[in-house]
Amino acid sequence: MSEGLYEELKAYEGLPAAEGGVGRDLVNEPMIRHWCEAMGDTNPAYTGPDAIAPPTMLQAWTMGGLGGHRSRSAAQDELFGLLDKAGFSSVVATDCEQEYLRPIRVGDEITFDAVIESVSEQKTTKLGTGHFVTTRMDVRANGELAGTHRFRILKFAPAKRPSTAGSASGPASGSASGPASGSASGSSKPAAEDGKPARRPRPVINRDNAGFWKGVEEHKVLIQRCTECSVLRFPWLPGCNSCGGAEWDTVEASGEGTVFSYVVMHHPPFPAFDPPYAVGLIELAEGVRMISNVVGVPHDEVRIGMAVRLEFLRTDEELEVPVFRPVGASAAVGSVA
Ligand code: ZN
């Protein structure tokens, strides 16, 4: 918290954050096809003999997958260690920026390294007080710089909030596109390796979805509405998929919905998650769908078409997520309506 700490942190600027990373697979058609299918992107540039990979796949080629590969540097470990020791032990990803410099093509070998680009002075945000750390990854295709990926996190000491009941029982994750997963049972939460109770991953809150999470704080699920063509959209996006309009307002979901589809998660295990649990694709009465947990019923009793109602689950002192409970199911241990 002192000047001295900031000086110490600044000394890490310019040091490597990751070195010698090698993409696990050469750039390949199946990964490109799966990406395009998942994104609904039918751009012809991504198929055929002269296909390029979608530029936004840049980071995908660097990812370790479940098997993982670890290229984080000693400098990055030390920097995070200093921040932890100073009390800034929580972490939230805040935003990322990418720059595309050369097309990536099938057969390219991807290599990457990253540098600690900047550490901010101490800042106080709604989440708490801490330091922003920006790293820049340089991604090379066959040795040529193909793009950069800048990634910013906030290492912070959480702001104190009055704690409520329900110390997180269960799984779930927050993602840029909204909340997901939680436990239908009220069973005890697995502990992380350090012996502290494991916590769900933090949602990635950025300028495009901040309004959604603001709504969640107020126990509202807000749906974006294009002010040009009135089409509703969820998850939150900067523009309208129907007309391209950039202007929007919001409507508050009534909270009524049905299970459009679901999966039961058994694997992979993750410290904060307590499988098996049901992750539902909930169709809201307003017509948009969101991924969330179905709580209050055993995972094997979740059914497509089941009528559900919105409630909010406090998973720990910092995080609440919207979840859905079958209409008629009684409140279960571990959830806070
Ligand atoms: Zn529109």
Side-chain angles (χ1 to χ4, degrees), residues 189-215:
K189 188 168 66 156
E193 279 169 22
D194 60 6
K196 287 189 213 144
R199 303 198 315 166
R200 297 185 185 201
R202 306 292 94 179
V204 178
I205 300 176
N206 56 40
R207 63 188 165 190
D208 294 330
N209 70 3
F212 170 76
W213 289 103
K214 183 90 178 56

Side-chain angles (χ1 to χ4, degrees), residues 226 228-231 240 242-245:
C226 174
E228 283 162 53
C229 74
S230 297
V231 165
C240 174
S242 270
C243 76

